[in-house]
Amino acid sequence: MRKIIYFLIFICLVAGSIFLLKKPAPLSQTYCAFCDPAVLNRQAFYQDDLVLALYTHKPILPGHCLIIPKRHVERFEGLSKEEELQMSELIKKVNQAAMKVFGTSAYLLLQKNGREVGQTVPHVHFHYVPRKAGDSSGLKFILKMYLANFREPISSAEMQEAVEKMKQSME
């Protein structure tokens, strides 16, 4: 058992080193996936006047969603007070829906500001990552977070199914 723990710690350290030491990719100055109508049509399951909720194309765990402002804003401090409030309320709504759809009981929120910390889409977004009681250990979860970017996106059918379930649960 001890060898397994040491091995997992080693893997996490290596993955973390790669993440922290690699040169950040430049953020596109011309393209934003969260402003792309094709992305929004495929992944959005909720919207109001200021904010959207999307199912992510490379979920860490079932129920991994993104909460974003409709307006293109690159960093959190650029949000208006109204957008901050709407995003906060939407996080609560997404949590209620995820609890129904995926049977979750807890969640992690992650928000990055700047490519130096790994922001890959130049648009404010909160990652909502739900967890269930009895989910895998913290080390395994951290490893899944690091490896998510290297995974293939979920299929169109999987995306459509998740979006429809979340849409229905949000109503």
Side-chain angles (χ1 to χ4, degrees):
M1 181 66 171
R2 203 176 228 185
K3 286 182 181 182
I4 293 171
I5 292 172
Y6 288 138
F7 178 73
L8 289 174
I9 291 170
F10 173 76
I11 294 295
C12 288
L13 288 173
V14 169
S17 297
I18 291 168
F19 176 76
L20 292 173
L21 296 176
K22 75 176 186 175
K23 185 176 180 181
L27 295 176
S28 172
Q29 299 301 316
T30 58
Y31 177 75
C32 173
F34 299 152
C35 293
D36 184 338
V39 171
L40 300 178
N41 287 336
R42 183 174 54 251
Q43 294 176 229
F45 60 87
Y46 176 87
Q47 69 175 307
D48 62 28
D49 58 330
L50 296 176
V51 297
L52 294 155
L54 311 174
Y55 197 80
T56 189
H57 70 298
K58 293 183 180 183
I60 296 170
L61 293 167
H64 180 178
C65 301
L66 303 169
I67 289 84
I68 67 170
K70 279 186 170 179
R71 182 173 66 97
H72 182 84
V73 181
E74 290 189 18
R75 296 177 61 100
F76 182 79
E77 57 271 16
L79 293 171
S80 70
K81 292 291 182 201
E82 293 81 17
E83 288 166 326
E84 288 179 26
L85 180 61
Q86 292 282 98
M87 290 180 79
S88 175
E89 291 301 316
L90 183 51
I91 288 166
K92 294 174 188 176
K93 290 176 185 177
V94 167
N95 182 52
Q96 292 299 311
M99 287 171 67
K100 291 178 201 169
V101 173
F102 298 101
T104 59
S105 58
Y107 62 93
L108 167 77
L109 286 179
L110 177 65
Q111 196 273 319
K112 304 173 188 176
N113 282 293
R115 65 187 176 113
E116 297 81 5
V117 294
Q119 182 182 12
T120 57
V121 179
H123 192 124
V124 173
H125 57 287
F126 281 86
H127 288 263
Y128 168 90
V129 185
R131 303 288 311 265
K132 296 179 184 178
D135 269 351
S136 60
S137 71
L139 290 174
K140 191 173 178 183
F141 175 70
I142 290 168
L143 189 57
K144 280 184 174 188
M145 282 180 41
Y146 284 121
L147 297 177
N149 284 332
F150 301 105
R151 290 185 38 217
E152 289 293 316
I154 60 174
S155 70
S156 294
E158 290 172 301
M159 176 64 74
Q160 186 176 8
E161 180 183 356
V163 165
E164 281 305 312
K165 285 180 177 179
M166 289 298 286
K167 258 185 201 175
Q168 290 173 4
S169 187
M170 296 285 287
E171 294 173 351

